[in-house]
Amino acid sequence: MPLTGDMSTNQDKTQNFSITGVKELDSGSTVSATGFVNGLRQEHDFTRPNAPPYSNAGLSLGAENSAGSVGLTGTHIPNRANILTASTNVHLVNTDTHKLTANAFTSTVMPKAGPNFGTHGGGVDYMYKDTVGANASVSHTPMFKQTDYSVGGRLNLHQTPTSSFGLNFGATKSDNPFSKGSWQPGGSFQFKKSF
């Protein structure tokens, strides 16, 4: 089972780490497991003396075949809650030239005694020759009556069997009963290396 790792740094100098193991089955399907930690601080933050050392951590399990995939993710947010998310996607078009995928997810917050910040949503993702892509999604959080929108693009600048480097760009917007948000642009570079 090969392992891949990913590391990134946030604007506040905290770091995100993940490690993924993937197993190919005889049927052509794959199963995977990912462990992750986000917002890990390397130094003590004197402005937040009681803050936990990381923002969230968790485990994700998934299965995929040529028709689509299913996944289950458990996330722990220190001093707040645990979140369980189920997701699925279906490959509507899956050729060497064009890939079009529809996806959906739902999440719930535990413990149930407190408010449920559960969120539900879906989207579409398109990729041309594994080089240029676009995506759009919408999600809704009933408790806040908030709907979030996202559109974006992706450009793979370099790709080998063991590494990749790409550019992600897009915009997000949030609407709720109190305000109609404006589109906020964003972007990032992403580097991945398999070991």
Side-chain angles (χ1 to χ4, degrees):
M1 177 184 310
L3 297 175
T4 59
D6 188 39
M7 183 196 85
S8 62
T9 302
N10 302 317
Q11 289 181 344
D12 63 359
K13 298 193 178 26
T14 60
Q15 294 181 308
N16 308 316
F17 296 93
S18 70
I19 188 163
T20 300
V22 178
K23 173 75 174 164
E24 289 192 29
L25 305 176
D26 293 336
S27 64
S29 300
T30 60
V31 292
S32 64
T34 299
F36 59 90
V37 176
N38 294 312
L40 181 66
R41 285 196 304 282
Q42 300 298 325
E43 301 174 358
H44 182 70
D45 185 351
F46 294 104
T47 63
R48 299 170 49 200
N50 296 325
Y54 60 93
S55 298
N56 63 64
L59 179 66
S60 177
L61 304 172
E64 182 174 1
N65 64 25
S66 61
S69 66
V70 295
L72 189 63
T73 302
T75 305
H76 172 68
I77 303 171
N79 304 327
R80 295 213 176 155
N82 297 309
I83 301 171
L84 183 63
T85 302
S87 62
T88 186
N89 71 44
V90 176
H91 302 301
L92 303 172
V93 176
N94 192 9
T95 66
D96 290 340
T97 305
H98 302 282
K99 294 184 184 349
L100 179 63
T101 303
N103 59 70
F105 74 93
T106 186
S107 67
T108 187
V109 178
M110 298 173 278
K112 292 285 189 184
N116 188 348
F117 299 97
T119 302
H120 321 286
V124 293
D125 188 33
Y126 172 76
M127 197 74 181
Y128 176 74
K129 291 190 176 181
D130 289 330
T131 304
V132 179
N135 57 68
S137 64
V138 63
S139 63
H140 183 69
T141 307
M143 181 176 175
F144 299 123
K145 297 180 180 154
Q146 177 170 313
T147 303
D148 299 307
Y149 306 91
S150 174
V151 294
R154 178 171 56 240
L155 178 61
N156 290 335
L157 302 170
H158 164 78
Q159 190 163 352
T160 68
T162 60
S163 66
S164 66
F165 180 69
L167 169 65
N168 298 312
F169 51 91
T172 59
K173 173 184 163 175
S174 292
D175 289 340
N176 61 54
F178 306 106
S179 70
K180 297 289 182 195
S182 59
W183 289 97
Q184 301 295 317
S188 65
F189 288 101
Q190 186 175 38
F191 174 74
K192 289 186 178 181
K193 176 72 176 166
S194 300
F195 299 97

